[in-house]
Amino acid sequence: MKKSTKIWICIAGVLLVILGVVCIANPAETLFSTAWLIGLFTLLSGIFEMVFTIDTQRFMPNSGTRMLSAILQIILGFIFLSGKLFLAASLPFIFAAWVMVEGVIIAVRSFDYKSVGFSYWWCIFILGIASVVLGCLGLRNPDVAGRTLSTLIGIGIIANGLAYLVGIAGLNRFEKKVNGVREAIRDAIKEG
């Protein structure tokens, strides 16, 4: 790999780490800037879940809960994509309510898995209940939920930046090994 390419990847990694730290240090601004992305991803998730529900409703009982989830996600996606600034401020409330509603839907859906013979349906049920509890905690403490959401976004961005930097270190080690093998082959050819 060219040295200039490695330098650009290192710069990108460092910038991502800096951006992650900025996200953690400025939770309100992070929420404002991510509201649009969350809207897009939520809209797409709702569309994909709706398509999945339509395709599987013949053999999955109680597909109404999945359709309800899809419709709620689509509506929530359009709300976030509308670009209203107050949505960023209310993002922790909306996110907590969504996690809570999704938890209820997941808990109810676990019985669908039980009815088709999935032996670990209870894991899905427990995860649904955990989502309900976490959603309730988020509604109770929206400031903490907002800071937590911003912190998680920041940590994710930092992890991406560090992955770039570690990847460059791995590439350097690989190139050294390849060069060592090349030299060994050249030496063997010279001696042979």
Side-chain angles (χ1 to χ4, degrees):
M1 179 180 283
K2 292 181 185 178
K3 187 173 183 172
S4 62
T5 303
K6 289 180 184 178
I7 291 171
W8 284 112
I9 291 174
C10 285
I11 290 171
V14 170
L15 289 175
L16 284 171
V17 169
I18 292 169
L19 177 61
V21 171
V22 168
C23 286
I24 292 170
N26 300 298
E29 289 81 2
T30 300
L31 291 179
F32 286 127
S33 63
T34 58
W36 188 86
L37 283 175
I38 289 172
L40 178 65
F41 293 149
T42 305
L43 175 66
L44 292 174
S45 173
I47 290 169
F48 293 141
E49 185 165 354
M50 184 175 282
V51 169
F52 173 77
T53 301
I54 291 169
D55 285 346
T56 61
Q57 68 184 358
R58 293 183 311 271
F59 54 88
M60 287 294 285
N62 299 326
S63 60
T65 57
R66 278 193 313 280
M67 185 61 76
L68 174 63
S69 174
I71 291 169
L72 289 174
Q73 287 180 41
I74 290 170
I75 291 169
L76 190 62
F78 278 124
I79 290 171
F80 277 111
L81 287 173
S82 69
K84 306 289 183 200
L85 288 179
F86 78 92
L87 287 174
S90 62
L91 184 61
F93 289 107
I94 294 170
F95 186 73
W98 178 45
V99 167
M100 189 173 64
V101 169
E102 283 292 316
V104 169
I105 291 170
I106 289 169
V108 170
R109 192 181 303 157
S110 70
F111 293 103
D112 292 342
Y113 288 97
K114 180 180 181 182
S115 69
V116 295
F118 183 61
S119 59
Y120 293 105
W121 67 271
W122 56 271
C123 291
I124 298 169
F125 180 77
I126 290 172
L127 291 171
I129 297 301
S131 291
V132 170
V133 170
L134 290 172
C136 289
L137 290 173
L139 285 174
R140 187 171 176 204
N141 298 314
D143 291 339
V144 172
R147 284 192 301 270
T148 301
L149 191 57
S150 295
T151 301
L152 290 175
I153 291 168
I155 289 170
I157 292 171
I158 290 170
N160 287 338
L162 292 175
Y164 279 36
L165 298 173
V166 171
I168 287 297
L171 281 173
N172 286 337
R173 289 184 77 187
F174 179 72
E175 284 179 345
K176 285 180 184 177
K177 286 182 180 181
V178 168
N179 289 336
V181 170
R182 283 182 187 162
E183 288 177 24
I185 291 172
R186 280 187 211 139
D187 292 343
I189 291 172
K190 287 179 184 177
E191 292 174 6

